Amino acid sequence: MHESAVFGPVGGDTPSRGTLDELDLALVNALQMAPRAPWAQLARPLGVDAATLSRRWVRLRDSGEAWITCHAAPSQVTYGALALIEVSCVPQAREALAGRLARHPQATSVELVAGSCDLLLTVATATKSLMTAYVLALGRDEAVTATRTHLVQHLHQDGSEWRMDSLSRDQRRDLAETEDSAPHTAAASLSPEDRALLLALAEDGRRSVASIAAELDRPESTVRRLLHSLLHGGRAVLRCDTAHLYAGWRSSATLWMSVPPAQLTTAGEELTRLRDTRMAASVSSEANLLSVAWLHALDDLARYEAQASARIPSLRVLNRTVTLHWVKRMGRLLGDDGRSTGCVPIDLWHPIV
């Protein structure tokens, strides 16, 4: 079933409570492809006027049901500076610890999970030495009883590359021609000016050039030029995301898998071809491959594992963690219903406290 078929019909600007309607989903899908495209440019492929799209987006953004953020591209993270960290803690301190860790700018995501640990962190730093300092500081927290760090060797698919399936082929083709979908050039290192722009765009990736220029006290022409270079130079990622429960994704899980080393690259690429794979990465541990899957129901986890095994016969699932609650996802603080309640900008260079 097409995912939008489970929601109410397209009508006015207020969908059924607790769901996103088909136009909401199509708008989010379009903004995943072209996050800063003008509303007039999105109007034709979506079949509605620019004013309606603008009004829809303001409602989605202000309610916390969808958002666009900006963060450093994976190309800016060297080997050993991106990791998934399993954290075990004192049971009664779990919620408070998750809240504290979510305030760390290096902790891109924080999850309360069911499985072999209590919390699962995704951590990104600018250098391996900063990652080492973060892991050591984490171990000194009195609420933490154990940690296990899985360094990412290669990202086969990042969550920002995942797309909803709410647009037709013709709509996707039209959107692919927008300016925001222009090919990226080879990535260079982020400059101090780039980092200032990243932080300015972290909470609202559609923020106007005029607003950014005023905050940074720079001419608008300069900010426009720097912004274009940053976003089309492969150094930063604009990411449109949504409150997953409102969009019909009721469960998510991280699978820790093992394949023969010679098959690692091929296996990682095969995982990216599965519709429910949000992220796939090669990691340096006994489980040398992992994937993050978004599922419409927890029952779908067995189906997902079966699909992965059919594509990769040598694959063994060693462990799995099911997310009970996303406390933070890629810089966004999330409430119990998955809606955004705030933002802690991702900062790879932030000193370890």
Side-chain angles (χ1 to χ4, degrees):
M1 181 188 296
H2 190 286
E3 67 178 2
S4 61
V6 301
F7 301 107
V10 176
D13 284 338
T14 305
S16 302
R17 183 176 178 84
T19 65
L20 303 182
D21 68 14
E22 288 192 33
L23 182 55
D24 291 331
L25 293 168
L27 177 55
V28 170
N29 198 167
L31 290 172
Q32 288 176 329
M33 297 181 64
R36 286 184 64 84
W39 298 125
Q41 206 166 18
L42 299 177
R44 184 175 64 84
L46 293 184
V48 294
D49 61 86
T52 297
L53 291 182
S54 176
R55 188 166 60 248
R56 284 269 177 153
W57 178 248
V58 168
R59 176 178 57 75
L60 291 171
R61 182 197 64 199
D62 291 352
S63 68
E65 293 169 310
W67 55 89
I68 296 175
T69 190
C70 187
H71 57 83
S75 63
Q76 301 301 309
V77 181
T78 60
Y79 167 69
L82 177 63
L84 280 85
I85 305 178
E86 296 179 89
V87 179
S88 298
C89 65
V90 178
Q92 61 269 29
R94 191 179 189 188
E95 186 175 10
L97 175 62
R100 290 201 304 275
L101 296 178
R103 294 291 172 179
H104 292 175
Q106 305 91 345
T108 64
S109 298
V110 177
E111 304 167 57
L112 292 171
V113 296
S116 57
C117 61
D118 297 307
L119 304 176
L120 181 60
L121 313 183
T122 304
V123 177
T125 59
T127 65
K128 187 177 180 180
S129 61
L130 281 172
M131 177 61 72
T132 301
Y134 186 90
V135 172
L136 292 174
L138 180 62
R140 289 192 293 268
D141 192 301
E142 61 183 15
V144 174
T145 58
T147 66
R148 188 179 185 190
T149 302
H150 306 262
L151 297 175
V152 173
Q153 294 177 300
H154 179 71
L155 270 176
H156 302 283
Q157 177 173 295
D158 179 64
S160 63
E161 301 173 71
W162 183 85
R163 301 286 182 264
M164 287 189 172
D165 190 21
S166 302
L167 298 173
S168 69
R169 181 179 301 177
D170 288 343
Q171 287 174 313
R172 293 195 299 269
R173 185 184 61 245
D174 287 348
L175 285 164
E177 298 172 358
T178 64
E179 180 182 357
D180 276 25
S181 298
H184 289 168
T185 60
S189 297
L190 285 161
S191 68
E193 288 181 321
D194 288 336
R195 287 154 59 183
L197 279 176
L198 278 176
L199 294 176
L201 284 169
E203 189 163 2
D204 181 6
R206 286 189 64 88
R207 189 177 176 185
S208 71
V209 170
S211 173
I212 298 170
E215 178 182 325
L216 301 182
D217 195 23
R218 302 294 298 276
E220 287 188 31
S221 58
T222 300
V223 170
R224 187 174 289 105
R225 173 178 55 80
L226 292 173
L227 188 58
H228 186 274
S229 174
L230 174 69
L231 297 178
H232 296 285
R235 302 191 300 283
V237 172
L238 280 171
R239 173 172 173 150
C240 182
D241 215 337
T242 183
H244 52 286
L245 296 177
Y246 284 63
W249 303 97
R250 305 296 177 185
S251 189
S252 61
T254 300
L255 275 66
W256 309 86
M257 298 163 284
S258 176
V259 296
Q263 300 177 24
L264 189 55
T265 299
T266 300
E269 294 306 313
E270 286 295 333
L271 285 177
T272 68
R273 296 185 176 94
L274 295 179
R275 176 71 190 88
D276 295 333
T277 298
R278 285 270 294 191
M279 187 187 87
S282 302
V283 293
S284 57
S285 60
E286 179 185 0
N288 59 0
L289 184 66
L290 69 84
S291 69
V292 176
W294 273 25
L295 310 163
H296 290 297
L298 187 55
D299 287 350
D300 291 336
L301 180 56
R303 173 189 53 79
Y304 178 82
E305 291 188 28
Q307 290 176 340
S309 296
R311 285 183 174 270
I312 313 163
S314 62
L315 181 140
R316 291 187 305 127
V317 177
L318 303 182
N319 194 12
R320 57 188 65 77
T321 54
V322 175
T323 304
L324 298 173
H325 171 49
W326 289 91
V327 180
K328 181 184 185 184
R329 187 166 72 241
M330 292 311 294
R332 305 301 298 209
L333 302 175
L334 304 181
D336 291 340
D337 61 357
R339 291 195 296 177
S340 172
T341 60
C343 179
V344 178
I346 298 168
D347 187 353
L348 310 184
W349 302 266
H350 198 279
I352 308 300
V353 179

